[in-house]
Amino acid sequence: MVVLAKPPALDQISLVRSPEPGGGSPFPGVPAVDLCSPGAALAVVDACERFGFFKVVNHGVPAGVADMLEAEAVAFFARPQAEKDASGPADPLGYGSKRIGRNGDMGWLEYLLLAVDQGSAVSKASPVPSSSLRDAVNEYVGAVRGVAASVLEAVAEGLGVAPRDALSRMVADAASDQVFRVNHYPPCPLLQRLPDSCSVTGFGEHTDPQLVSVLRSNGTAGLQLALRDGRWVPVPPDRNAFFVIVGDSLEVLTNGRLKSVRHRVVANSLKPRVSMIYFAGPAPAQRIAPLPELLGHGEQGLYRDFTWGDYKKAAYRSRLGDNRLDPFRI
Ligand code: GA4
Protein backbone atom coordinates (compact mmCIF):
# COMPACT_ATOMS: atom_id res chain seq x y z
CA MET A 1 0.00 0.00 0.00
CA VAL A 2 1.32 3.48 -0.85
CA VAL A 3 0.99 5.93 2.04
CA LEU A 4 0.89 9.54 0.92
CA ALA A 5 2.55 12.19 3.04
CA LYS A 6 0.21 15.17 3.27
CA PRO A 7 2.01 18.54 2.87
CA PRO A 8 2.08 20.28 6.32
CA ALA A 9 0.00 23.25 5.05
CA LEU A 10 -2.88 20.81 4.60
CA ASP A 11 -2.40 19.20 7.99
CA GLN A 12 -5.89 19.62 9.40
CA ILE A 13 -7.72 19.70 6.08
CA SER A 14 -9.16 16.45 4.83
CA LEU A 15 -8.65 15.08 1.37
CA VAL A 16 -11.58 13.90 -0.69
CA ARG A 17 -11.78 11.39 -3.46
CA SER A 18 -12.52 13.50 -6.53
CA PRO A 19 -13.29 12.89 -9.30
CA GLU A 20 -15.41 9.96 -8.18
CA PRO A 21 -14.81 6.64 -9.87
CA GLY A 22 -17.43 6.21 -12.65
CA GLY A 23 -20.65 4.23 -12.37
CA GLY A 24 -24.38 4.82 -11.95
CA SER A 25 -26.55 6.68 -14.41
CA PRO A 26 -25.09 9.77 -16.07
CA PHE A 27 -25.94 13.19 -14.57
CA PRO A 28 -28.19 14.99 -17.06
CA GLY A 29 -26.88 18.38 -15.95
CA VAL A 30 -28.10 21.15 -13.71
CA PRO A 31 -31.69 22.14 -14.58
CA ALA A 32 -31.94 25.79 -15.66
CA VAL A 33 -35.17 27.66 -14.91
CA ASP A 34 -36.39 31.06 -16.12
CA LEU A 35 -38.77 32.02 -13.32
CA CYS A 36 -40.84 34.18 -15.68
CA SER A 37 -41.49 31.42 -18.18
CA PRO A 38 -44.78 29.50 -18.29
CA GLY A 39 -44.34 26.23 -16.46
CA ALA A 40 -41.62 27.66 -14.17
CA ALA A 41 -43.39 26.56 -10.97
CA LEU A 42 -43.57 22.93 -12.07
CA ALA A 43 -39.98 23.03 -13.35
CA VAL A 44 -38.77 24.34 -9.96
CA VAL A 45 -40.62 21.61 -8.06
CA ASP A 46 -39.37 18.94 -10.44
CA ALA A 47 -35.73 20.09 -10.04
CA CYS A 48 -36.07 20.34 -6.26
CA GLU A 49 -37.54 16.84 -6.05
CA ARG A 50 -34.89 15.27 -8.27
CA PHE A 51 -31.78 17.17 -7.19
CA GLY A 52 -32.62 19.72 -4.46
CA PHE A 53 -30.75 22.04 -6.79
CA PHE A 54 -31.17 24.10 -9.97
CA LYS A 55 -30.05 27.36 -11.49
CA VAL A 56 -32.06 30.47 -12.20
CA VAL A 57 -31.35 32.08 -15.55
CA ASN A 58 -32.71 35.37 -16.99
CA HIS A 59 -33.17 36.54 -13.40
CA GLY A 60 -33.09 40.24 -14.17
CA VAL A 61 -30.47 41.09 -11.53
CA PRO A 62 -28.00 43.40 -13.32
CA ALA A 63 -24.59 41.75 -13.75
CA GLY A 64 -22.98 44.89 -12.31
CA VAL A 65 -24.54 44.28 -8.89
CA ALA A 66 -22.77 40.92 -8.46
CA ASP A 67 -19.59 42.10 -10.22
CA MET A 68 -19.29 45.09 -7.90
CA LEU A 69 -19.60 42.91 -4.80
CA GLU A 70 -17.16 40.36 -6.20
CA ALA A 71 -14.61 43.14 -6.83
CA GLU A 72 -15.08 44.47 -3.27
CA ALA A 73 -14.66 40.97 -1.84
CA VAL A 74 -11.54 40.27 -3.92
CA ALA A 75 -10.04 43.57 -2.71
CA PHE A 76 -10.82 42.67 0.91
CA PHE A 77 -9.29 39.20 0.67
CA ALA A 78 -6.16 40.72 -0.93
CA ARG A 79 -5.51 42.88 2.15
CA PRO A 80 -2.76 42.04 4.65
CA GLN A 81 -3.69 39.19 6.99
CA ALA A 82 -3.61 41.41 10.10
CA GLU A 83 -6.22 43.75 8.56
CA LYS A 84 -8.50 40.84 7.69
CA ASP A 85 -8.05 39.34 11.15
CA ALA A 86 -9.36 42.60 12.62
CA SER A 87 -12.82 41.53 11.31
CA GLY A 88 -12.57 38.12 12.96
CA PRO A 89 -12.34 35.46 14.17
CA ALA A 90 -15.74 34.36 12.90
CA ASP A 91 -17.92 33.19 15.84
CA PRO A 92 -19.97 32.57 13.82
CA LEU A 93 -20.06 36.05 12.18
CA GLY A 94 -17.06 37.93 10.84
CA TYR A 95 -13.88 36.98 9.00
CA GLY A 96 -12.79 33.37 9.19
CA SER A 97 -9.84 31.51 7.77
CA LYS A 98 -9.80 27.72 7.38
CA ARG A 99 -12.02 27.13 10.45
CA ILE A 100 -15.70 26.58 9.73
CA GLY A 101 -18.20 26.65 12.60
CA ARG A 102 -17.25 25.90 16.19
CA ASN A 103 -16.61 22.20 16.15
CA GLY A 104 -13.36 21.58 14.35
CA ASP A 105 -14.31 21.67 10.65
CA MET A 106 -11.55 22.97 8.43
CA GLY A 107 -11.34 23.89 4.74
CA TRP A 108 -9.00 25.51 2.24
CA LEU A 109 -10.77 28.89 2.29
CA GLU A 110 -11.27 32.22 3.94
CA TYR A 111 -14.63 33.95 4.25
CA LEU A 112 -16.81 36.69 5.63
CA LEU A 113 -20.07 35.69 7.28
CA LEU A 114 -22.57 38.50 7.89
CA ALA A 115 -26.06 38.76 9.35
CA VAL A 116 -28.52 40.74 7.28
CA ASP A 117 -31.37 42.80 8.72
CA GLN A 118 -34.65 43.27 6.89
CA GLY A 119 -34.54 46.26 4.57
CA SER A 120 -31.24 44.90 3.24
CA ALA A 121 -28.99 46.65 5.74
CA VAL A 122 -26.10 44.47 6.88
CA SER A 123 -26.84 43.93 10.55
CA LYS A 124 -25.13 46.29 12.95
CA ALA A 125 -23.93 43.18 14.80
CA SER A 126 -21.80 42.14 11.81
CA PRO A 127 -18.19 43.32 11.67
CA VAL A 128 -18.14 44.66 8.07
CA PRO A 129 -14.62 45.76 7.10
CA SER A 130 -15.48 48.81 4.97
CA SER A 131 -18.42 51.00 4.02
CA SER A 132 -17.95 50.25 0.31
CA LEU A 133 -18.18 46.51 1.02
CA ARG A 134 -21.23 47.12 3.21
CA ASP A 135 -22.94 49.08 0.41
CA ALA A 136 -22.14 46.41 -2.17
CA VAL A 137 -23.48 43.64 0.12
CA ASN A 138 -26.65 45.61 0.79
CA GLU A 139 -27.35 46.20 -2.88
CA TYR A 140 -26.62 42.58 -3.76
CA VAL A 141 -28.65 41.08 -0.92
CA GLY A 142 -31.58 43.37 -1.74
CA ALA A 143 -31.65 41.89 -5.25
CA VAL A 144 -30.97 38.28 -4.33
CA ARG A 145 -33.62 38.23 -1.60
CA GLY A 146 -36.10 38.90 -4.43
CA VAL A 147 -34.80 35.82 -6.29
CA ALA A 148 -35.21 33.69 -3.14
CA ALA A 149 -38.77 34.99 -2.64
CA SER A 150 -39.69 34.23 -6.28
CA VAL A 151 -38.28 30.71 -5.91
CA LEU A 152 -40.33 30.10 -2.76
CA GLU A 153 -43.46 31.41 -4.49
CA ALA A 154 -42.80 29.06 -7.39
CA VAL A 155 -42.39 26.16 -4.94
CA ALA A 156 -45.73 26.97 -3.27
CA GLU A 157 -47.48 27.31 -6.63
CA GLY A 158 -45.92 24.15 -8.03
CA LEU A 159 -46.94 22.15 -4.95
CA GLY A 160 -50.46 23.59 -4.97
CA VAL A 161 -50.02 25.40 -1.64
CA ALA A 162 -52.15 28.49 -1.04
CA PRO A 163 -51.63 31.33 -0.52
CA ARG A 164 -48.79 31.72 -2.99
CA ASP A 165 -46.70 33.52 -0.37
CA ALA A 166 -47.09 30.80 2.30
CA LEU A 167 -43.32 30.15 2.15
CA SER A 168 -41.92 33.42 0.81
CA ARG A 169 -43.49 35.43 3.62
CA MET A 170 -41.24 33.57 6.07
CA VAL A 171 -38.31 35.35 4.42
CA ALA A 172 -40.15 38.68 4.13
CA ASP A 173 -40.96 38.60 7.89
CA ALA A 174 -39.29 41.53 9.68
CA ALA A 175 -37.65 39.07 12.11
CA SER A 176 -36.43 36.61 9.46
CA ASP A 177 -32.93 35.24 9.99
CA GLN A 178 -30.90 35.98 6.90
CA VAL A 179 -27.20 35.38 6.51
CA PHE A 180 -24.80 36.30 3.76
CA ARG A 181 -21.43 34.67 3.18
CA VAL A 182 -18.65 35.34 0.73
CA ASN A 183 -16.07 32.59 0.37
CA HIS A 184 -12.62 32.91 -1.15
CA TYR A 185 -10.92 29.65 -2.07
CA PRO A 186 -7.30 30.54 -2.88
CA PRO A 187 -5.53 28.40 -5.49
CA CYS A 188 -4.03 25.30 -3.89
CA PRO A 189 -0.85 24.48 -5.85
CA LEU A 190 -0.07 21.65 -3.38
CA LEU A 191 -2.84 19.74 -5.12
CA GLN A 192 -0.45 19.08 -7.97
CA ARG A 193 1.56 16.89 -5.60
CA LEU A 194 -1.44 14.65 -4.90
CA PRO A 195 -2.67 11.83 -7.14
CA ASP A 196 -5.29 12.79 -9.77
CA SER A 197 -8.03 10.95 -7.90
CA CYS A 198 -7.50 13.13 -4.81
CA SER A 199 -8.59 16.63 -3.98
CA VAL A 200 -8.40 19.00 -1.04
CA THR A 201 -11.53 19.99 0.88
CA GLY A 202 -12.49 23.62 0.28
CA PHE A 203 -15.80 23.43 2.15
CA GLY A 204 -16.73 20.00 3.47
CA GLU A 205 -19.92 18.19 2.53
CA HIS A 206 -23.05 19.43 4.26
CA THR A 207 -26.66 20.45 3.83
CA ASP A 208 -27.79 24.02 4.49
CA PRO A 209 -30.13 24.37 7.48
CA GLN A 210 -32.25 27.25 6.05
CA LEU A 211 -35.17 27.27 3.56
CA VAL A 212 -33.15 27.96 0.43
CA SER A 213 -29.69 29.29 -0.35
CA VAL A 214 -28.90 31.35 -3.44
CA LEU A 215 -25.31 31.00 -4.66
CA ARG A 216 -23.39 32.93 -7.27
CA SER A 217 -19.75 32.20 -8.05
CA ASN A 218 -17.05 33.45 -10.36
CA GLY A 219 -16.08 31.22 -13.27
CA THR A 220 -13.96 28.79 -11.21
CA ALA A 221 -15.19 25.21 -10.75
CA GLY A 222 -15.20 23.46 -7.38
CA LEU A 223 -18.83 23.08 -6.29
CA GLN A 224 -20.07 19.49 -6.28
CA LEU A 225 -23.37 17.99 -5.26
CA ALA A 226 -24.49 14.55 -4.18
CA LEU A 227 -27.13 12.97 -6.39
CA ARG A 228 -29.89 10.93 -4.74
CA ASP A 229 -27.87 7.77 -5.42
CA GLY A 230 -24.98 9.23 -3.41
CA ARG A 231 -22.73 9.94 -6.38
CA TRP A 232 -20.84 13.26 -6.33
CA VAL A 233 -21.02 15.34 -9.51
CA PRO A 234 -19.29 18.61 -10.37
CA VAL A 235 -21.43 21.68 -11.05
CA PRO A 236 -20.13 23.63 -14.07
CA PRO A 237 -19.64 27.25 -12.95
CA ASP A 238 -21.90 29.92 -14.46
CA ARG A 239 -21.25 33.44 -13.24
CA ASN A 240 -24.45 34.68 -14.93
CA ALA A 241 -26.80 32.38 -13.06
CA PHE A 242 -27.92 31.96 -9.46
CA PHE A 243 -27.75 28.42 -8.11
CA VAL A 244 -30.54 27.50 -5.71
CA ILE A 245 -29.92 24.95 -2.97
CA VAL A 246 -32.83 23.37 -1.05
CA GLY A 247 -32.22 23.59 2.71
CA ASP A 248 -33.30 21.35 5.60
CA SER A 249 -36.17 23.66 6.65
CA LEU A 250 -37.82 23.44 3.24
CA GLU A 251 -37.47 19.66 3.40
CA VAL A 252 -39.46 19.63 6.64
CA LEU A 253 -42.09 22.15 5.46
CA THR A 254 -42.77 19.92 2.45
CA ASN A 255 -42.74 16.78 4.65
CA GLY A 256 -39.74 15.40 2.78
CA ARG A 257 -41.16 15.89 -0.71
CA LEU A 258 -38.33 18.31 -1.49
CA LYS A 259 -35.06 17.17 0.01
CA SER A 260 -32.10 19.25 1.10
CA VAL A 261 -29.04 18.47 -0.97
CA ARG A 262 -25.56 17.59 0.27
CA HIS A 263 -22.93 19.71 -1.43
CA ARG A 264 -19.24 20.52 -1.00
CA VAL A 265 -16.45 22.51 -2.60
CA VAL A 266 -13.07 21.11 -3.61
CA ALA A 267 -9.99 23.29 -4.01
CA ASN A 268 -8.64 24.31 -7.40
CA SER A 269 -4.89 24.12 -8.01
CA LEU A 270 -4.57 27.24 -10.16
CA LYS A 271 -7.52 29.60 -9.98
CA PRO A 272 -9.16 31.38 -7.05
CA ARG A 273 -12.86 30.70 -6.54
CA VAL A 274 -15.14 33.36 -5.09
CA SER A 275 -18.69 32.47 -4.15
CA MET A 276 -21.40 34.62 -2.59
CA ILE A 277 -24.26 32.89 -0.86
CA TYR A 278 -27.47 34.29 0.59
CA PHE A 279 -29.14 32.00 3.12
CA ALA A 280 -32.87 32.63 3.47
CA GLY A 281 -33.89 31.62 6.97
CA PRO A 282 -37.19 32.23 8.78
CA ALA A 283 -37.73 34.12 12.04
CA PRO A 284 -36.41 32.30 15.14
CA ALA A 285 -39.97 31.79 16.44
CA GLN A 286 -41.23 30.34 13.13
CA ARG A 287 -42.61 26.84 13.55
CA ILE A 288 -41.03 24.47 11.06
CA ALA A 289 -43.62 21.77 10.40
CA PRO A 290 -45.12 20.19 7.27
CA LEU A 291 -47.63 22.51 5.56
CA PRO A 292 -51.11 21.00 6.16
CA GLU A 293 -51.93 21.10 2.41
CA LEU A 294 -49.07 18.71 1.78
CA LEU A 295 -50.28 16.05 4.18
CA GLY A 296 -52.69 13.58 2.61
CA HIS A 297 -55.76 12.41 4.55
CA GLY A 298 -54.51 10.76 7.74
CA GLU A 299 -50.88 11.24 6.72
CA GLN A 300 -48.51 12.06 9.57
CA GLY A 301 -45.67 14.54 9.57
CA LEU A 302 -42.22 12.91 9.46
CA TYR A 303 -40.62 15.29 11.96
CA ARG A 304 -41.30 16.39 15.50
CA ASP A 305 -42.30 19.99 16.10
CA PHE A 306 -39.57 22.59 16.33
CA THR A 307 -38.89 26.24 15.65
CA TRP A 308 -36.16 27.69 13.44
CA GLY A 309 -34.52 28.95 16.63
CA ASP A 310 -34.37 25.36 18.01
CA TYR A 311 -32.96 24.05 14.76
CA LYS A 312 -30.33 26.73 14.41
CA LYS A 313 -29.13 26.15 17.98
CA ALA A 314 -28.81 22.41 17.27
CA ALA A 315 -27.04 23.14 13.96
CA TYR A 316 -24.35 25.17 15.67
CA ARG A 317 -23.64 22.26 18.00
CA SER A 318 -23.16 19.89 15.05
CA ARG A 319 -20.28 19.07 12.74
CA LEU A 320 -20.57 20.21 9.14
CA GLY A 321 -21.14 16.75 7.68
CA ASP A 322 -23.70 15.60 10.29
CA ASN A 323 -27.22 14.75 9.24
CA ARG A 324 -28.87 17.52 11.25
CA LEU A 325 -32.44 16.44 10.50
CA ASP A 326 -32.07 12.90 11.84
CA PRO A 327 -32.61 13.83 15.52
CA PHE A 328 -35.82 15.65 14.51
CA ARG A 329 -37.34 12.70 12.62
CA ILE A 330 -40.16 10.82 14.31
C1 GA4 B 1 -23.84 25.68 6.57
C2 GA4 B 1 -24.60 26.75 5.76
C3 GA4 B 1 -24.07 28.18 6.04
O1 GA4 B 1 -22.81 28.38 5.40
C4 GA4 B 1 -23.92 28.44 7.56
C5 GA4 B 1 -22.89 27.44 8.07
C6 GA4 B 1 -22.49 27.54 9.55
C7 GA4 B 1 -21.18 28.36 9.72
O2 GA4 B 1 -20.32 28.38 8.84
O3 GA4 B 1 -21.05 28.99 10.78
C8 GA4 B 1 -22.34 26.08 10.04
C9 GA4 B 1 -22.97 25.20 8.92
C10 GA4 B 1 -23.70 26.18 8.02
C11 GA4 B 1 -23.92 24.11 9.49
C12 GA4 B 1 -23.42 23.43 10.81
C13 GA4 B 1 -22.62 24.39 11.69
C14 GA4 B 1 -23.04 25.83 11.38
C15 GA4 B 1 -20.93 25.58 10.35
C16 GA4 B 1 -21.20 24.39 11.20
C17 GA4 B 1 -20.31 23.43 11.42
C18 GA4 B 1 -23.61 29.90 7.83
C19 GA4 B 1 -25.14 27.93 8.28
O4 GA4 B 1 -26.13 28.57 8.59
O5 GA4 B 1 -24.97 26.61 8.58
Side-chain angles (χ1 to χ4, degrees), residues 243-314:
F243 290 92
V244 175
I245 299 168
V246 172
D248 297 337
S249 299
L250 191 56
E251 172 167 340
V252 176
L253 285 157
T254 61
N255 205 32
R257 184 153 161 200
L258 309 190
K259 290 208 171 42
S260 58
V261 57
R262 289 184 90 73
H263 54 286
R264 68 185 183 193
V265 175
V266 295
N268 190 290
S269 64
L270 298 173
K271 293 195 293 176
R273 173 177 162 91
V274 178
S275 61
M276 317 192 290
I277 312 126
Y278 166 74
F279 301 95
Q286 173 70 49
R287 186 171 165 253
I288 308 291
L291 296 168
E293 292 96 326
L294 297 180
L295 292 178
H297 189 66
E299 191 185 338
Q300 295 296 308
L302 299 172
Y303 314 85
R304 65 180 165 81
D305 246 38
F306 60 90
T307 63
W308 167 246
D310 298 332
Y311 195 64
K312 187 170 177 179
K313 210 186 288 166

Side-chain angles (χ1 to χ4, degrees), residues 92-216:
L93 303 178
Y95 170 77
S97 176
K98 295 203 173 100
R99 282 175 207 289
I100 300 167
R102 296 167 172 157
N103 303 310
D105 289 291
M106 304 283 283
W108 186 260
L109 87 164
E110 54 180 347
Y111 60 88
L112 266 175
L113 190 56
L114 306 171
V116 183
D117 282 344
Q118 206 50 273
S120 301
V122 169
S123 160
K124 309 242 170 358
S126 287
V128 187
S130 72
S131 57
S132 54
L133 182 59
R134 176 189 295 263
D135 292 347
V137 172
N138 281 340
E139 192 177 5
Y140 179 81
V141 166
V144 165
R145 180 192 287 128
V147 175
S150 304
V151 165
L152 289 171
E153 282 181 13
V155 169
E157 185 186 327
L159 290 174
V161 171
R164 206 169 181 266
D165 70 350
L167 294 165
S168 63
R169 68 184 171 203
M170 294 183 193
V171 180
D173 188 309
S176 66
D177 182 15
Q178 305 166 78
V179 177
F180 171 75
R181 131 173 259 147
V182 52
N183 292 327
H184 172 227
Y185 300 91
C188 183
L190 295 165
L191 253 174
Q192 287 158 340
R193 289 170 36 195
L194 300 173
D196 284 350
S197 58
C198 226
S199 200
V200 168
T201 299
F203 205 111
E205 68 170 274
H206 65 286
T207 59
D208 292 346
Q210 291 83 359
L211 296 162
V212 285
S213 316
V214 181
L215 177 148
R216 187 264 185 195

